[in-house]
Amino acid sequence: MFGKIKLAQGSISIGDQIINIKKTGEWFEYLRGNVRKKIIGDILQILPAPAKGYGVKLMMVRLEEEIVIAPGSRVEGFLTVPVEVSVRAGEVEVDRFSLGREKYALYGTLERGVIVRYSRGSLQEKPNGIGVLKVRIINKGTSWGKVDRIVFPLLDVMYYTKDRAFYPLVEVIVDKGIEAINTGEPPMDGLSVVGELKKLSFKMRW
Amino acid sequence: MIKNATLELIKGVSLTTDSLFSAMASIVIGLILAEVLYRWILNLSKSTKYVWILNEDTAKLLRNFIIIGSLLSAFDTLGLFDIMVFGSKLSRVIAGFLLFYISYLIGKKVQDYWLIKEGAEAQIKAKVFYYALVTVGFFLALNIAGFSGKLTTIIAAAGITGIVLGFSAQTVIANFISGIFMYFDKPLKIGDPVEVGGYSGIVHDIRILSTRIRTWDGLLVRIPNEKLFNSEIKNLAKYPARRVDVIVGIAYKEDVERAIKVIRETLEEIPYVLAEPEPSIFINELGDSSVNIAVRAWAPSEKWFDVRTQILQRIKEALDREGIEIPFPQRVNWFAEELRVKLEH
């Protein structure tokens, strides 16, 4: 699914989306829903992209079960989250679409909040679904902490295998407040990478 | 051996070979310098991130400025510009004017570049740069023209002129001051959707004296800043989220709970209906013809209009699909006396 593909007549299934490729004379026709493109050339890349939607910079994952963590403890797990797919010919983006349900939320107050990409999820031991976020929750404080949602900054870097897209590892530091750090690091070994490596920290004020 | 011969080309203007050589040297040096600077800026423009200032247009303007400056210097050496204007040499006055004009052109081009590249959001930054450059250019030009010693006189004259103008143009001053207050008060910024003074549209430009609004149907409305400052301004995108309020009427015979469930599921399917704050759906009124259900859903401010139209359309479709009736207005008429109906065949 993800990676470089040599175009040939047929269809490619990605999550709930289907890309149809038709060979017409000297070019290929790329068809997905209402999207129609003519491709002169025969190589495309299907790559994962952060779910920025219409241009948001943060994602909020509302946890189905709150996590209560003892001081000095740490836990790692996986969340199933929305992801976007960027179909590229070289550096040119041919198509971009969201996998799964697209939803947004207001994070913060009505006066000073910010619109974020929204999803709900439950911390699991193993990755599940196409879009995966690995989180490491560390309680560095001296008292018990509670995490009911994770809000983290979206970077351009993504990791992937043939079947799954991974966001970089996100560290959630529980201390006096909660800080989510998108480390930019791969969540697991043996993953391919796309995008520029960076690290970004976000203080969850609300 | 070359003698310093004297030559009279124009009546009253004598040229020596020394001055001729100096003039020619001035032109040659000017041309070389102009070309070197031009090529340097051009090369730099290919690799720098400051393309907004280091670009081909700036390179050309500076090259022309240096060429004209060297020509002026050459003419000056030859004594062709030995004419005094307001106590200063004509060549210096021209050079000063030229510098001011070049600053203006560079400022204008940088402003245009920013607006094309970064859109309306860069307007303030572009204007600040433009006015700063023009102001610096103005004072440098005064210096080059040799008027700097007379600066206090100019400022005093400007002050007096200002007072005179102030009395004769109170409205203009009021608009100007209101513009300054608005800058700090920031009730709106370029690109904001607003309702003001009976008009509704997008703020297209905020100028010193007036603010321009492009109405939704594409008209330009110029509102003097004084009027704007004293008006009630409704900024439709000041906050990140805005609520969509819709009333849906269903027939009295329908199951209200099921209708609310259908509406809630419909809202969940619309991406830009925010999951948090959650939409609220409740019976608002037992109306004359229908049970009126209020739907209050939050949307990103910039998507408000799209969300509203989608909500209306999708709720109608969902209720139709589920067979829930949206009734026409109904009226029950009671007659004081028994109504007799005569049927004719």
Side-chain angles (χ1 to χ4, degrees), chain B residues 13 25 29 40 45 54 81 93 105 111 121 166 238 289 318 324:
Chain B
V13 179
I29 291 169
W40 180 67
S45 70
L54 296 169
F81 278 162
V93 175
L105 287 180
Q111 195 179 19
E121 284 179 10
K238 182 74 177 171
S289 314
I324 297 171

Side-chain angles (χ1 to χ4, degrees), chain B residues 191-251:
Chain B
D192 279 354
V194 291
E195 281 175 22
V196 61
Y199 297 100
S200 182
I202 297 274
V203 179
H204 170 64
D205 197 2
I206 301 171
R207 299 191 175 183
I208 291 173
L209 299 180
S210 66
T211 294
R212 281 147 201 257
I213 290 171
R214 176 173 55 76
T215 59
W216 300 119
D217 55 348
L219 303 177
L220 170 78
V221 179
R222 177 191 175 278
I223 303 175
N225 282 340
E226 188 198 6
K227 187 180 174 193
L228 192 76
F229 191 66
N230 293 318
S231 300
E232 286 169 5
I233 299 170
K234 199 189 273 187
N235 191 327
L236 307 177
K238 182 74 177 171
Y239 301 129
R242 200 178 154 199
R243 201 175 70 186
V244 176
D245 287 4
V246 168
I247 299 285
V248 182
I250 60 163

